[in-house]
Amino acid sequence: MTQENVKRVLLVAAENDALHGAKVGGMADVIRDLPPALAQCGVIADVAMPNYGFLAGHYHAKHYANISVHFSGAEHHIKVFCMPRPAHKDDVLAIHSLPGDHLLPEQLQQNPPMVYLFDHPLFNHNGQVYCNGAHDRPFADDATKFALFSLAVATCLVDNILPRYQVLHLHDWHAAMVAMLRQCVNEFERLNDIACVYTIHNLALQGIRPFSGDESSFAAWFPQYAYQLKAIAKVSIFDPRYDNCINPMRMGIVLSDKVHLVSPSYAKEVLMASNHGKGFFGGEGLEGDLAVKAQQDDLVGIINGCVYDNHQRETKDRDSYIQLLTNAQNAVLSWQANVAHVSAIDSIALNRLSQLSVKLLREDTLQIPFLLTSVGRLTEQKVLILLQPYVDGHGHQQSITVLEALLRTLKKQQSNGVFWLLGSGDKHIAAHLQTIAAKYDNLVFIHGYNESVSDELYQLGDLFLMPSSFEPCGISQMLAMRAGQPCLVHAVGGLKDTIIDNESGWAFTGESLLQQGSALVMRLSEVLALYDTPQWKKVAQKAAQQRFTWDSVAQEYIDKLYG
């Protein structure tokens, strides 16, 4: 397929930050920013995603179609809504300009990028994108939800309910079963006329479920297909490590025409086997399939972009710092409206924020404290290094964690310095951070996500910390640099591709988890010693000048993925 005949692409994804309430991770930023960038290159990119019970209502999306599919041994009815992609997620657009009550695919063919919202009770989970699920049945609820969603999308495509597309672009394991239906089930084989691209945003989450023997299993979802699949299914849908388990991530890798990793360095890392004991996260059991794609020249690493319009660094002064403290307190208090009891984590956070406010108000001449910041999901990927035992420079293991060593280093070199950590996620990680936050008055741990607080931390922070064990691309470091805040990162994946040590930020490495923790503490000490020096200012300026624009990324998509 040449660039000239790539006209319309369908992005199938679980998240989309073009709409309120549909963002959890970096995938949402990609689905938000990619369509307008592709439009600048003459390619229209529509999005298909679940409605989650509220998006169509909020945006007054138009009822577009009703479909019926056979799923889990019963007939299921799914409503499809459509709406133009809003220029901003606060925009609630009237759709009176769209033709007729019953919109036909050919009528939509010339329209701007659209969002198709698939509505069914299984997609609704209290306004949340993902279900937490039980530890003994990982992915169970979500896998069922996204299996039905994939079947609905494939049905709409094969029945010409959606417009004609030249490229089908699937994102992460949630959409991977569209590739399986396309390649393995006779009634969907016509979809092979459409080029299929698969993007991996997080290889660690693969959606693995049993093939049979559970209500959330392949045979339970698709009894009409389970034992009539094409031969290719035998080597593409099963997990290579676990008998009687299917692996949606593997389906997307093996059964798509092109596989895309979201940074060049990560595209190389995933070709090697993971060794968690040594702190290396690579192919996570799928390195063999990825290596085959690489040998076929069908594995592509393209880093995500960032939007830079009208972003200037705010002045860090008393007023802005007071505003940060106020907004953080209001955010934590607002979360209490939905719970019966105040959590210990929130109580500690409110206490720390109150202490900082009192200190600032009592001492009019007090210098605004040094702000070490971090914004991100609480996952093992993001904080594993921080929670390791700390080994000092003499090789002696201490009775404290790496995070505690960081806080002590910060206290020693910046006596008023504060580490602000904003993020929600794993409750066990949160409990560990709660214990540390109670012991150290220079840690403000805010367990949740608030966009205003997040933006202010990017704007007002002095140094952004991103010690991910692996990072397919990373958006947080781009947002920090965009705001003029230099970063200290683990030199892996997209972090390695976006930050040059001692030039546009600082980096650390290590051959094991313990070495990585020691290197992080040592590097922080070295970096703090540079604060407010000409060298620091030069690095901060260089960080602010970096540009990873979606315009250039979109052209790479067209040339390397859609071509």
Side-chain angles (χ1 to χ4, degrees), residues 165-179:
Y165 294 100
Q166 285 69 49
V167 180
L168 182 59
H169 192 160
L170 312 177
H171 291 262
D172 258 354
W173 74 266
H174 323 96
M177 275 186 270
V178 177

Side-chain angles (χ1 to χ4, degrees), residues 162 194 243 320 346 377 415 484:
L162 293 178
I194 308 173
D243 292 339
S320 60
D346 289 346
R377 291 278 293 165
S415 60

